[in-house]
Amino acid sequence: MPIVYKKAHLSSIIAVWESTEDLNFLVKKAQLSADELALLRNFKSESRKREFLTVRVLLKELFPSENLFITYSKNGKPNLDGNKNISISHTKTYVAVMVGEFKHGGIDLETINERIFKLATKFLNESEIKFVGLNPSADQLQIIWGAKEVLYKIHEIGDVDFKKHLLVSPFTSSNSGNLNAEILKAGYEKKYNVYFEKFPPMMISWACD
């Protein structure tokens, strides 16, 4: 399928592709380099191959006149050569990218479901529990989780406690909006404005500097 979601944000483009095509079709459309083909052959699962290919198909679709190649840092963070950068997320058959002229950025795409209630105790700190109350909605929890996933990707280095090191301030619940969030880890303390938008059955979140 083609792009199912696309948005311009500052100097970035955000897009989501529903990946239902045959893998051979994706290989042809992605126009992989020799190094990328070698990487693809190392993946065992079809889902990992599909994500890898779909990201590159998205890049070709968004920037048809440019040859953008993804490299990876020692921490596994994807990067682009030149003045553009990239963040990647996926859920089920959907793959999302944010590409733009940012130094630090992150995107998160999640399917909204009841599982978020079971996960809540692993990422909500005391102030966030007080904000959402005793009966939070799945959307509220998903927005907080998405924001923290975005901050985690921005931090890049890892070793982050979602309760202790990531803080989401109270926000107005709606189908789209933004909120204030902070990375509170010593040596890397930064504030970000995280945006979110619901397009059922998913929630997409992003931020960049």
Side-chain angles (χ1 to χ4, degrees):
M1 289 186 69
I3 292 171
V4 296
Y5 177 96
K6 186 177 179 181
K7 176 184 285 290
H9 177 77
L10 301 177
S11 64
S12 301
I13 296 176
I14 297 161
V16 179
W17 188 290
E18 184 179 6
S19 183
T20 57
E21 298 85 355
D22 180 81
L23 286 183
N24 290 329
F25 171 85
L26 292 174
V27 169
K28 181 181 292 187
K29 194 168 181 65
Q31 302 175 29
L32 302 177
S33 67
D35 288 343
E36 288 172 324
L37 279 169
L39 271 175
L40 180 65
R41 294 189 188 104
N42 287 331
F43 298 137
K44 303 300 182 184
S45 72
E46 180 175 326
S47 62
R48 183 66 185 92
K49 291 179 180 179
R50 181 172 293 280
E51 179 202 352
F52 180 88
L53 290 167
T54 304
V55 168
R56 284 148 182 85
V57 170
L58 256 174
L59 285 178
K60 294 290 183 184
E61 194 79 8
L62 295 172
F63 306 97
S65 63
E66 300 182 48
N67 292 317
L68 299 177
F69 292 100
I70 301 172
T71 58
Y72 297 90
S73 70
K74 63 180 181 180
N75 296 315
K77 178 188 176 295
N79 300 290
L80 292 175
D81 293 331
N83 62 348
K84 289 187 176 66
N85 210 339
I86 188 170
S87 182
I88 301 167
S89 186
H90 66 96
T91 178
K92 295 186 177 179
T93 59
Y94 295 89
V95 177
V97 299
M98 178 172 67
V99 182
E101 298 176 8
F102 54 84
K103 185 176 181 181
H104 301 289
I107 190 170
D108 183 61
L109 182 68
E110 302 283 349
T111 302
I112 305 169
N113 57 49
E114 297 299 306
R115 182 170 173 267
I116 195 68
F117 291 103
K118 294 181 180 179
L119 291 174
T121 57
K122 297 182 179 181
F123 65 86
L124 290 179
N125 56 45
E126 289 184 8
S127 65
E128 293 157 354
I129 291 172
K130 183 178 180 180
F131 163 61
V132 300
L134 297 175
N135 297 297
S137 67
D139 284 3
Q140 278 182 308
L141 296 180
Q142 198 66 68
I143 290 168
I144 295 173
W145 171 255
K148 293 195 175 192
E149 279 286 324
V150 166
L151 294 182
Y152 177 79
K153 290 182 178 181
I154 289 173
H155 180 261
E156 300 178 15
I157 304 169
D159 190 27
V160 171
D161 185 315
F162 274 46
K163 285 186 176 182
K164 181 179 178 181
H165 298 140
L166 306 177
L167 173 65
V168 173
S169 299
F171 56 91
T172 301
S173 297
S174 63
N175 287 334
S176 64
N178 60 84
L179 55 83
N180 295 316
E182 299 177 66
I183 302 172
L184 299 173
K185 192 168 183 184
Y188 198 113
E189 298 179 352
K190 292 188 178 181
K191 296 181 179 181
Y192 283 89
N193 196 10
V194 180
Y195 295 80
F196 60 88
E197 186 168 340
K198 180 181 179 181
F199 64 113
M202 293 170 290
M203 185 79 71
I204 188 167
S205 308
W206 69 91
C208 60
D209 49 21

